[in-house]
Amino acid sequence: MVMLDMLVLLCGQTIAQLLGRLYYNSGGNSKWMATLTLSGGSPLLAILLLLTPPHSAGAGTQPPASKMVPIYVGLGILIGLDNLMYSYALQYLPVSTFALVAATQLGFNSITSHLINKQRFTALIANSVVVLTFSAALLGVGSSSDGTSSNLPHGKYTLGFILTLSASAVFALVLSLFEVTFEKVVRTRTFRWVLRVQMWTNIVASMASVCGLFASGEWRTIPEEMAAFKDGRARYVATLVGTAVSWQAVSVASLRLITRVSSLFANVTGTVALPLVPVFAVVLFGDKMSGIKAVAMLMAVWGFLSYVYQHYLDGRRAATTKEGAAECRVCAARAGGEAVLHA
C-alpha cells in the first residue's frame, strides 16, 4: 500500500504541475481560478468517503468537533494561502525551474519535522537541507541564463522565485501539522479519517479561493478567458478538471504516507518527481535545460539521496534494535526456566 501511495503521489504531482503550466500557456490568466483547482476537487472525496466502511478497525475514536473544527479552519486557510503563492509562482517561472525550486520544501520539512514532530536531525539530513538550499540559490543567481524568463516583466522572475520558496516553507509546515494532528488529536490512522481530514481542510481552502475570485473581480473575466483559450472551451474545462483531480490524488496519497510513515517521508517521495517534471517540460513546453539548471537538478537529486540513505540507516537500526530485544526476551525466558529447574 505504501508503494501504491508513492506511485499515485509521483504520477499525480507530475501531471498536476504540467497541467497547471498548460493552463497559463494556453491563455489562462486567472490566479484565483488556478488556486481553486489546487483544492477545488475536494467534493470528489465525499464519494470515496461514502464508499468507505464506517466501522473499520480503529474507527471508534471520535475527537470532539470543538477540537477538529478549528484544525480544519486553520489548516484550510494555510493551504489556501499556500495554493495562491504556488499559482502566482507557476505563472512567473518556467515549470522546470518551478519544480526545482519547490524541491526546497524537503529542507524546510526537515526543520519543521525536527521542531514539531521530534524527527532526528542527523548529519545526512543537514547535508540534504544545505544542498537543496544551494540548488535553489543557484537557480536564483542564474535566472538571467533562462531564456523563458526574458519574456516576463522586470522583477517577475525574482517574485516567482521568492513565492515558490515561501510556498515550499508553508507546505512543509502544513505536512508537519497534519502529522501532529493525527498523532495528538485524531489518534487513529484509518483511510476514512484520512479522507475526512483532507476533504474538510480542502473545502475551507476552496471557500477562501472562491471568496478571492469574487473579491478580486476575476470572475467577470472567466467567460472571455474560456472563449479565448487555445483549442476552445472543452480544453479549458478539461485542463482545470484534470488539474483539480490530480491535486486531490496527490493530497490523499501524501496524507496516507504521513499517517503510515511520516511527513518527511511523504515530502521525500514528492521530491522524487523532481527529475521528471523538468524533462517533460523541455519536451512539452520547450523549456530550456541550461547548464545551471542541470547542475541545480543534480544537486537537488543529491540532497534527496542523502535523506533516502538516512532513512535506510534508520530502518536498519530499528530492525537491529528489534532483533536485540527479541534475543533478550529469549535469554530471559531461558534464564528463568533454568532457575526454576535448579530450584
Side-chain angles (χ1 to χ4, degrees):
M1 294 303 295
V2 170
M3 291 296 294
L4 178 61
D5 291 335
M6 292 174 68
L7 181 62
V8 172
L9 177 55
L10 288 174
C11 295
Q13 183 170 305
T14 302
I15 294 171
Q17 288 187 2
L18 292 172
L19 286 177
R21 185 66 225 180
L22 178 65
Y23 168 75
Y24 288 122
N25 285 2
S26 299
N29 193 47
S30 174
K31 315 297 187 305
W32 284 106
M33 179 59 72
T35 302
L36 182 59
T37 60
L38 293 169
S39 58
S42 52
L44 296 174
L45 301 181
I47 301 175
L48 290 177
L49 192 59
L50 291 174
L51 297 176
T52 304
H55 300 297
S56 56
T61 305
Q62 293 290 333
S66 59
K67 287 186 177 181
M68 294 308 301
V69 170
I71 290 175
Y72 292 150
V73 174
L75 285 176
I77 291 174
L78 276 178
I79 292 172
L81 174 63
D82 188 60
N83 292 344
L84 180 61
M85 288 190 290
Y86 268 131
S87 297
Y88 271 92
L90 194 57
Q91 186 183 27
Y92 296 155
L93 291 179
V95 69
S96 52
T97 305
F98 170 84
L100 292 172
V101 178
T104 55
Q105 68 190 32
L106 176 58
F108 290 121
N109 196 215
S110 299
I111 298 173
T112 58
S113 293
H114 175 70
L115 296 177
I116 299 175
N117 310 120
K118 308 304 179 183
Q119 177 85 29
R120 289 194 312 119
F121 200 74
T122 64
L124 285 171
I125 293 179
N127 175 71
S128 175
V129 173
V130 172
V131 172
L132 285 168
T133 302
F134 280 141
S135 173
L138 183 62
L139 283 173
V141 172
S143 63
S144 59
S145 66
D146 192 340
T148 52
S149 65
S150 61
N151 299 324
L152 297 173
H154 180 69
K156 293 298 185 182
Y157 189 101
T158 303
L159 178 60
F161 184 84
I162 294 173
L163 286 173
T164 307
L165 283 178
S166 302
S168 298
V170 173
F171 181 73
L173 175 63
V174 168
L175 289 184
S176 292
L177 291 177
F178 269 131
E179 183 176 353
V180 77
T181 296
F182 275 92
E183 287 181 354
K184 305 296 185 182
V185 182
V186 178
R187 296 181 183 277
T188 184
R189 305 194 174 202
T190 61
F191 183 53
R192 187 174 180 82
W193 263 106
V194 168
L195 290 175
R196 185 177 298 173
V197 172
Q198 180 64 32
M199 182 182 71
W200 285 113
T201 53
N202 273 260
I203 285 176
V204 173
S206 299
M207 292 173 62
S209 299
V210 170
C211 291
L213 181 65
F214 281 92
S216 65
E218 286 189 359
W219 64 275
R220 298 187 183 92
T221 66
I222 298 300
E224 298 178 3
E225 181 178 284
M226 186 182 298
F229 199 76
K230 185 178 179 180
D231 293 337
R233 299 172 182 268
R235 185 174 180 179
Y236 180 86
V237 175
T239 301
L240 294 181
V241 172
T243 306
V245 172
S246 298
W247 278 122
Q248 287 307 304
V250 169
S251 299
V252 172
S254 179
L255 195 54
R256 278 167 60 88
L257 287 176
I258 290 173
T259 58
R260 290 176 182 272
V261 189
S262 69
S263 63
L264 195 55
F265 183 84
N267 213 331
V268 167
T269 302
T271 309
V272 178
L274 172 68
L276 301 178
V277 177
V279 171
F280 280 108
V282 170
V283 175
L284 298 177
F285 302 134
D287 283 7
K288 294 184 178 180
M289 184 57 73
S290 63
I292 290 179
K293 193 178 294 185
V295 172
M297 183 174 69
L298 292 175
M299 290 176 64
V301 172
W302 176 255
F304 158 71
L305 292 177
S306 295
Y307 174 77
V308 170
Y309 185 63
Q310 179 63 62
H311 190 71
Y312 166 74
L313 293 179
D314 290 342
R316 287 192 61 182
R317 187 180 297 108
T320 303
T321 302
K322 289 181 180 179
E323 291 176 0
E327 291 177 0
C328 289
R329 286 194 296 269
V330 172
C331 292
R334 288 177 179 175
E338 291 174 357
V340 171
L341 291 175
H342 179 71

